[in-house]
Amino acid sequence: MDKHKEELATLESIDSGAVYTLALKTHVGMSIDTFKYFAGWCDKIHGKTIPINHARPSRNLTYTRREPLGVCGIVTPWNYPLMMLAWKTASCLAAGNTVVLKPAQVTPLTSLKFGEFVVRAGFPAGVINIISGSGSVVGQGIADHEQVRKLGFTGSTPIGKTIMESCARSNLKKVSLELGGKSPLIIFNDCDLDKAVRMAMSSVFFNKGENCIAAGRLFVEEEIHDKFLDRVVTEVKKMKIGNPLDRSTDHGPQNHRAHLEKLIEYCQIGVDQGATLVMGGKQVDIPGLYMEPTVFTDVEDHMFIAKEESFGPVMVISKFKNGDTEDVVRRANDTEFGLASGVFTNDVSKALWVADHIDAGTVFVNTYNKTDVAAPFGGFKQSGFGKDLGEEAMNEYLKTKAVTIEY
Amino acid sequence: MSDQEAMLFPEIKYTKIFINNEWHDSVSGKTFPTINPCTGEKICDVQEGDKADIDKAVKAARDAFALDAPWRTMDASQRGNLMVKLCELMERDKVYLASLETLDNGKPYLDSLGDLQMTIDCIKYYAGYADKIHGKTIPMDGDFFSYTKLHPVGVCGQIIPWNYPLMMVAWKWGPALACGNTIIMKPAEQTPLTALYCAALSVEAGFPPGVINIVPGYGPTAGAALAEHMDVDKIAFTGSTEVGQLVMMAAAKSNMKRVTFEMGGKSPNIIFDDADLDEAVTWAHAAIMNNHGQNCCAGSRTYVQEGIYDEFVKRSAKMAAERVVGDPYDKKTQQGPQVDQEMFDKVMKYCNIGKEEGATCQAGGERWGNVGYFVKPTVFSDVTDDMRIAREEIFGPVQTILKFKTLEEVIEKANSSKYGLAAGVHTRDINKAFTVAQSLQAGSMWVNCYDCISSQTPFGGFKQSGHGRELGEEGLKEYYEVKTVTIKVPKKIS
């Protein structure tokens, strides 16, 4: 993968619209790091020996074995086609399973190219299998299959629910789900404002907003709201929009037409419900599926755009009363999602308090999007369950057998 | 060239003291010879380090450990990447390295290749751990947020022996580097050459200066200086129990530096009469004869149940007589010379003691050839537990076979040793297997096998055989310090 990273990044850029520089560094770069990280775990998966009570006069030795589940299905989404494959497949393989992969129908190319590398790396035949196709046929087929013992899925919450039902109904196969999010980013008046603006930009516009942990709502403390908004507007205007293969592009096209159309509709609802559209909200007037980076403010908690995930480059800003930490955290938690979150403050006690009280699988403090192959990643509530990355990810792909010997 | 073909005259490239990624002459100007044990002749002279050189090396290692030094600020995963690169270079140069190992140590070339593979595997194993050294967050009482972070111990002195020169480099560098420490290594004076070559490879791999330093020299001078040094945070020693005690005292008297030891053994290997006899004879033979008996965990007390005793002795004697001794570069050779004159003399002494004590010499018991330090594979039977050859470590290819009647008896005899490094048991019966495994005071317990070690399994001694473990996840514990951080929070929730 490392030898062919430019080719992989180009393919990813063409197929998903990812900006090439990001595709190289993150889509492909992090995929390689993920495999490298889990390669190190393969021979370090330990069971235990456990001192149980003896059946006297005999003695007992109990030990646990951590065993692979068997045949695993992995169904991946279109926003980071190769990286989502890497996040799930690496831990699945480290645990010793075999896998049937289905990449998203709209972005199959890097996953298929990956298949070629699998052969060249020397994996035995049958360990990794890749089937391109639709969710309703191939994905459903894997979810229903009687011999698949586990399905790992990244995608939307509604589809996640269908998959979970199929897993149960078929053969009670294990399932892990990484689903949607409406991750709150809280910016206090005692933050480093420059950094907060930069990170807020990244939290919303990274990968043209097609990012499961994108900050779906920003809560900005009243006192700094206007200053914050001004700076964001200035930064957005600097974004270079264009051909993702161009090395100087910041913002590429959305992934596919249907998604772009949904985004335009999303913004229209925002306007209709009375949020203030500061900039954007429409398609860019050039060929291709380009959406203008969009900023809304004065968004109230009951509004559609305050509750629903856009999965696009739409910044949704709400104010909160100066000093009312408890209430802003209450509002941030008032969602059925719980994937990620962020807080910007220089006050150590406030930072730790917020981190304790936010109901999300990841909390970023004075940063955002800082995922790492070693840090477990996954949601709370209807953002899903089960972790990708980190040591914990392997738990999704192992089962524990206890052996008790009497002698 | 297939990797099965050794270099008969490997060029000696590195003979100096290695500090800060550079090669230095000794401060005193002194050198010492390293000897080819096949011939007794000098291979070359090596710079002889002493206290002054150790001081320089410690300073380099301390500077490399400074909070803002590259080794401290680099990502943990990058430490792992450098270690993987080092493995790739060892793999690239494996014929040279294995040939050099055989030249300096005398072990058969194919054994050196095997050792080198284990060396590479060990460093690669620990490379995988570099970014996986986890502290915890802890639910403490009170309104606090508490977590632990595992810090590298710091500047680590590492004194290694001559019996597995390359493998001992890996067993020490692996966990130390994975955890982010810096190293001053004193290789054995009998076998410094392969460690020095590995140092050169570490430069090529990209390790920052001062992370790895090597000071060849003698134990009472360079080794002692390292053990006594006030600015060394930890010392790891593999060698004899007698010297280990000196190191431990020096560590305590100086600055309470942390200590780990891998020392001697007189490991029992127990053969029940329901064992597969041929398998047991073969395993027991290898257990004592591997590496010319120069193995800390050698199965050097073979306890055989009375029902199969005579047949076992007969087959073991035959196996010893048929063991091929000779030129270690010859692929047919199974046993080369002992490492030096001193070790040769020790083995000969114990062969004579065994005869004087009344044991029956069934095979060997004398020198092989008349050049170099070769001894014949030796078997003594009718050995009893009170004999010196049954109690004292010989460190040579001398099998001592003792008879026993019952399970209880042999467990007690096996445990009655000041050592506790390893043990073996051969039996088909599940009850005997687990009872013996549970009962013996040994850090490594082998069932129906012997000497089976891999990077993943912790290794070390009970009692006077050692202190701490190497290999496996446990091996990391010796190379980090736990820091607990406790932060006041306004009000805690669980």
Side-chain angles (χ1 to χ4, degrees):
Chain A
M1 287 173 80
D2 191 59
K3 262 209 284 239
H4 298 272
K5 55 181 189 271
E6 289 86 0
E7 183 183 352
L8 278 170
T10 305
L11 270 177
E12 198 73 296
S13 189
I14 292 171
D15 210 6
S16 76
V19 165
Y20 176 83
T21 47
L22 186 73
L24 189 65
K25 177 169 184 236
T26 301
H27 290 242
V28 178
M30 195 180 190
S31 297
I32 293 169
D33 287 346
T34 303
F35 279 107
K36 234 194 257 188
Y37 177 79
F38 282 102
W41 272 119
C42 293
D43 58 357
K44 301 173 178 70
I45 298 172
H46 300 142
K48 304 180 200 246
T49 58
I50 300 164
I52 69 168
N53 295 332
H54 297 293
R56 294 173 198 281
S58 295
R59 294 177 66 87
N60 294 95
L61 170 69
T62 290
Y63 64 91
T64 54
R65 277 175 53 89
R66 310 216 48 224
E67 299 180 348
L69 296 169
V71 177
C72 298
I74 291 179
V75 175
T76 47
W78 45 257
N79 60 338
Y80 295 95
L82 183 64
M83 203 170 88
M84 294 295 100
L85 177 159
W87 281 24
K88 290 201 155 44
T89 307
S91 51
C92 180
L93 295 175
N97 298 284
T98 58
V99 66
V100 175
L101 285 161
K102 187 199 92 59
Q105 190 170 20
V106 290
T107 53
L109 299 181
T110 45
S111 300
L112 294 173
K113 186 70 182 170
F114 174 80
E116 180 192 318
F117 298 144
V118 158
V119 179
R120 286 161 64 180
F123 282 87
V127 172
I128 299 163
N129 307 277
I130 306 173
I131 307 182
S132 46
S134 70
S136 54
V137 175
V138 180
Q140 190 61 48
I142 297 173
D144 291 336
H145 206 288
E146 297 291 331
Q147 280 166 20
V148 171
R149 288 298 171 192
K150 145 94 201 209
L151 196 145
F153 172 79
T154 299
S156 72
T157 296
I159 305 284
K161 289 185 179 181
T162 309
I163 291 213
M164 191 172 173
E165 283 176 31
S166 305
C167 288
R169 198 177 297 121
S170 54
N171 65 344
L172 214 62
K173 56 171 69 59
K174 238 175 108 142
V175 61
S176 60
L177 301 172
E178 206 258 275
L179 308 173
K182 189 70 175 171
S183 304
L185 170 56
I186 304 174
I187 301 176
F188 286 96
N189 61 10
D190 57 4
C191 70
D192 172 342
L193 190 60
D194 281 331
K195 189 153 189 219
V197 169
R198 256 188 306 118
M199 289 284 160
M201 294 286 296
S202 171
S203 77
V204 175
F205 300 119
F206 191 85
N207 204 44
K208 48 228 166 69
E210 293 165 356
N211 188 13
C212 43
I213 52 169
R217 297 191 68 171
L218 272 61
F219 293 93
V220 182
E221 199 158 11
E222 231 166 17
E223 186 184 319
I224 52 163
H225 171 274
D226 294 349
K227 207 155 57 145
F228 176 84
L229 186 59
D230 274 342
R231 297 216 197 165
V232 163
V233 168
T234 308
E235 292 304 310
V236 171
K237 290 190 175 141
K238 292 181 193 164
M239 287 170 74
K240 184 162 183 293
I241 302 171
N243 182 345
L245 288 174
D246 183 334
R247 301 324 192 224
S248 63
T249 295
D250 299 310
H251 183 75
Q254 303 307 131
N255 189 282
H256 51 281
R257 179 165 298 285
H259 181 55
L260 172 66
E261 283 165 7
K262 264 185 63 195
L263 282 174
I264 295 169
E265 193 188 312
Y266 183 94
C267 293
Q268 189 57 55
I269 296 175
V271 168
D272 291 346
Q273 289 192 337
T276 306
L277 177 64
V278 177
M279 60 196 308
K282 57 192 196 306
Q283 189 169 357
V284 181
D285 192 15
I286 57 177
L289 308 174
Y290 296 86
M291 178 78 184
E292 285 191 15
T294 301
V295 179
F296 280 100
T297 188
D298 302 319
V299 177
E300 290 165 37
D301 296 350
H302 67 274
M303 291 179 183
F304 179 86
I305 64 172
K307 297 200 230 207
E308 302 300 321
E309 186 179 28
S310 68
F311 217 63
V314 183
M315 187 181 283
V316 172
I317 303 175
S318 306
K319 290 196 196 76
F320 69 95
K321 276 223 235 349
N322 288 331
D324 202 345
T325 308
E326 279 194 40
D327 192 59
V328 72
V329 169
R330 180 198 59 77
R331 290 164 68 195
N333 283 338
D334 186 17
T335 165
E336 271 302 295
F337 290 119
L339 190 52
S341 60
V343 55
F344 271 81
T345 173
N346 281 333
D347 183 312
V348 63
S349 295
K350 199 190 300 177
L352 293 178
W353 192 92
V354 173
D356 278 358
H357 285 81
I358 293 260
D359 211 3
T362 296
V363 182
F364 294 113
V365 179
N366 293 335
T367 185
Y368 208 90
N369 280 336
K370 185 88 182 82
T371 54
D372 188 279
V373 300
F377 176 95
F380 291 0
K381 301 188 278 188
Q382 295 196 43
S383 286
F385 47 81
K387 293 298 185 198
D388 286 335
L389 305 180
E391 181 181 10
E392 276 192 53
M394 293 186 297
N395 290 338
E396 312 301 335
Y397 291 97
L398 292 164
K399 59 193 184 208
T400 299
K401 171 190 289 177
V403 179
T404 295
I405 301 179
E406 192 157 306
Y407 62 93
Chain B
M1 173 206 266
S2 134
D3 67 19
Q4 305 291 295
E5 300 299 323
M7 280 182 196
L8 294 182
F9 304 101
E11 183 198 339
I12 310 302
K13 297 180 182 163
Y14 304 104
T15 59
K16 297 196 184 199
I17 295 170
F18 179 74
I19 297 175
N20 264 336
N21 281 8
E22 293 164 347
W23 299 100
H24 298 249
D25 288 341
S26 64
V27 168
S28 65
K30 284 161 75 180
T31 63
F32 70 95
T34 184
I35 307 293
N36 179 346
C38 286
T39 59
E41 286 165 9
K42 180 170 84 172
I43 299 171
C44 64
D45 288 306
V46 177
Q47 295 296 316
E48 183 186 333
D50 201 330
K51 183 170 184 321
D53 310 280
I54 292 287
D55 284 342
K56 280 167 67 180
V58 172
K59 173 149 197 333
R62 177 60 62 197
D63 288 346
F65 194 70
L67 281 174
D68 58 354
W71 186 238
R72 294 303 296 281
T73 56
M74 84 170 54
D75 288 336
S77 59
Q78 180 58 13
R79 294 202 298 268
N81 290 339
L82 292 177
M83 292 167 76
V84 169
K85 183 83 183 127
L86 179 60
C87 291
E88 286 167 9
L89 297 175
M90 288 178 165
E91 178 71 35
R92 178 195 70 189
D93 295 348
K94 72 178 173 198
V95 172
Y96 173 81
L97 261 172
S99 304
L100 188 62
E101 183 91 322
T102 288
L103 181 66
D104 210 5
N105 168 283
K107 66 174 76 193
Y109 173 72
L110 292 182
D111 286 4
S112 290
L113 267 184
D115 283 4
L116 181 55
Q117 190 56 56
M118 290 197 63
T119 300
I120 292 170
D121 288 347
C122 176
I123 296 181
K124 211 183 280 187
Y125 177 81
Y126 281 109
Y129 257 128
D131 58 357
K132 300 175 178 65
I133 298 171
H134 300 150
K136 309 176 204 250
T137 58
I138 299 163
M140 74 177 267
D141 293 347
D143 288 325
F144 300 101
F145 167 54
S146 187
Y147 64 89
T148 55
K149 229 163 126 44
L150 307 188
H151 283 260
V153 175
V155 172
C156 300
Q158 302 184 322
I159 301 175
I160 57 170
W162 46 259
N163 56 343
Y164 295 93
L166 275 168
M167 255 170 62
M168 294 294 100
V169 169
W171 285 29
K172 299 271 182 295
W173 287 12
L177 296 173
C179 292
N181 298 281
T182 58
I183 293 168
I184 301 122
M185 172 165 274
K186 190 205 85 61
E189 61 272 22
Q190 296 89 340
T191 53
L193 299 179
T194 45
L196 291 171
Y197 190 79
C198 290
L201 292 182
S202 77
V203 179
E204 198 184 336
F207 282 86
V211 173
I212 297 168
N213 306 277
I214 304 194
V215 181
Y218 291 91
T221 49
L226 204 46
E228 293 162 0
H229 206 287
M230 295 300 288
D231 202 21
V232 167
D233 298 301
K234 177 221 164 73
I235 189 114
F237 170 82
T238 298
S240 71
T241 297
E242 291 66 38
V243 177
Q245 284 179 310
L246 297 174
V247 172
M248 195 169 184
M249 288 192 282
K253 266 208 208 109
S254 53
N255 66 342
M256 293 294 288
K257 56 175 66 63
R258 285 88 178 92
V259 295
T260 47
F261 299 104
E262 299 282 359
M263 298 177 297
K266 192 71 180 179
S267 302
N269 195 10
I270 301 171
I271 324 287
F272 284 94
D273 55 25
D274 66 5
D276 177 323
L277 188 56
D278 272 326
E279 287 264 316
V281 166
T282 307
W283 280 109
H285 172 85
I288 182 62
M289 299 299 174
N290 273 352
N291 212 42
H292 325 172
Q294 298 169 145
N295 182 8
C296 44
C297 57
S300 46
R301 285 183 285 158
T302 310
Y303 287 96
V304 181
Q305 203 162 25
E306 59 181 359
I308 51 165
Y309 188 83
D310 293 336
E311 186 59 28
F312 188 97
V313 168
K314 202 166 107 197
R315 295 189 198 192
S316 300
K318 179 167 187 287
M319 209 169 249
E322 288 171 0
R323 192 167 180 82
V324 179
V325 183
D327 173 10
Y329 288 106
D330 185 332
K331 273 178 266 182
K332 288 197 280 344
T333 298
Q334 295 169 291
Q335 179 176 312
Q338 305 308 109
V339 79
D340 64 7
Q341 185 73 52
E342 189 189 326
M343 286 295 119
F344 171 84
D345 289 343
K346 187 175 180 190
V347 178
M348 291 293 92
K349 178 181 102 178
Y350 277 100
C351 287
N352 292 331
I353 289 173
K355 291 171 190 163
E356 282 160 23
E357 289 183 311
T360 310
C361 183
Q362 300 278 359
E366 56 188 11
R367 189 183 190 187
W368 184 93
N370 48 26
V371 176
Y373 314 122
F374 296 82
V375 308
K376 289 187 182 172
T378 299
V379 176
F380 280 103
S381 66
D382 306 311
V383 179
T384 53
D385 286 272
D386 54 303
M387 290 181 185
R388 287 183 65 189
I389 59 169
R391 306 205 65 74
E392 296 168 29
E393 190 177 33
I394 300 172
F395 228 63
V398 179
Q399 183 172 33
T400 64
I401 310 183
L402 302 90
K403 192 186 294 188
F404 74 94
K405 280 196 172 64
T406 70
L407 175 82
E408 293 72 23
E409 171 204 348
V410 75
I411 285 173
E412 197 193 315
K413 286 182 168 164
N415 280 339
S416 68
S417 165
K418 71 178 188 181
Y419 294 116
L421 190 51
V425 62
H426 300 263
T427 174
R428 282 192 179 93
D429 178 59
I430 192 174
N431 298 296
K432 288 204 198 83
F434 281 103
T435 300
V436 172
Q438 174 64 24
S439 309
L440 293 192
Q441 293 161 345
S444 292
M445 178 75 233
W446 285 299
V447 180
N448 293 332
C449 61
Y450 204 90
D451 249 349
C452 297
I453 297 172
S454 77
S455 314
Q456 302 89 7
T457 51
F459 178 90
F462 283 35
K463 301 192 280 192
Q464 294 191 45
S465 286
H467 205 352
R469 293 291 175 265
E470 292 185 302
L471 304 182
E473 184 182 14
E474 270 73 3
L476 293 168
K477 294 194 179 125
E478 318 297 343
Y479 285 96
Y480 59 71
E481 288 271 3
V482 179
K483 173 191 287 178
T484 304
V485 179
T486 300
I487 305 178
K488 176 100 181 61
V489 293
K491 187 154 175 56
K492 167 189 71 193
I493 57 169
S494 60

